[in-house]
Amino acid sequence: MIKVITYGTFDLLHYGHIALFERARALGNHLTVGLSTDDFNRVKGKKSYFSFEVRKKMLESIKYIDEIIPEENWEQKNKDIKENNIDVFVMGDDWIGEFDDLECQVIYLPRTPNISSSIIKKSIS
Ligand code: C2G
């Protein structure tokens, strides 16, 4: 069993997020998502349109995701990796280099171009 983990806010879920989940899941046979809580979003300087509960509900419907845990702070990743026996940590390459010291394999995947929650917000406002 190769266990993969990724983290994020995943607000206004879009095909860029789905493409990340699909590729991350394909790196193993179990994908855990660390979903940023509303409080942690404030720490990240983000305000998500959908609450944690709604964002979690949406992720639960995605076939590539096996487990969802709350992401409450920047420091929890190595603890999550240990407690969940994670083999591979994955993030989009806008984070390249930021998590190289984590205690598992670290892979940065190319972001899907021309789509983001902020593009969606701007284009419908
Ligand atoms: N992403 C992507 N392609 C896009 C948009 C996002 O691959 N077009 C990826 C990002 O690179 C990230 C993930 O989707 O890996 C989640 O993006 P956000 O919800 O914006 O997450 P972020 O605010 O970057 O939080 O501890 C890590 C943080 O929680 C990451």
Side-chain angles (χ1 to χ4, degrees), residues 7-109:
Y7 292 82
T9 296
F10 301 108
D11 193 27
L12 301 183
L13 203 58
H14 55 69
Y15 62 88
H17 296 139
I18 306 299
L20 179 88
F21 297 139
E22 182 174 20
R23 288 174 293 160
R25 179 65 170 71
L27 292 169
N29 20 43
H30 184 283
L31 174 62
T32 300
V33 173
L35 182 61
S36 306
T37 60
D38 297 331
D39 284 345
F40 183 50
N41 273 338
R42 274 186 277 282
V43 170
K44 294 200 294 188
K46 278 186 142 178
K47 168 113 183 58
S48 61
Y49 181 79
F50 291 122
S51 69
F52 174 82
E53 292 69 26
V54 167
R55 289 181 284 118
K56 183 168 185 279
K57 190 88 185 132
M58 291 210 251
L59 293 193
E60 284 166 348
S61 70
I62 296 174
K63 65 182 179 181
Y64 302 116
I65 300 174
D66 299 285
E67 190 172 352
I68 301 165
I69 61 174
E71 181 187 30
E72 296 167 304
N73 55 64
W74 291 113
E75 297 75 27
Q76 68 183 73
K77 293 184 176 70
N78 270 325
K79 182 169 166 286
D80 293 344
I81 286 162
K82 221 185 274 16
E83 285 178 359
N84 293 278
N85 303 309
I86 299 295
D87 304 286
V88 187
F89 169 91
V90 171
M91 284 303 285
D93 61 4
D94 47 321
W95 289 94
I96 197 150
E98 295 296 322
F99 300 110
D100 292 353
D101 58 351
L102 288 178
E103 289 153 28
C104 67
Q105 188 184 0
V106 173
I107 294 177
Y108 301 100
L109 297 172

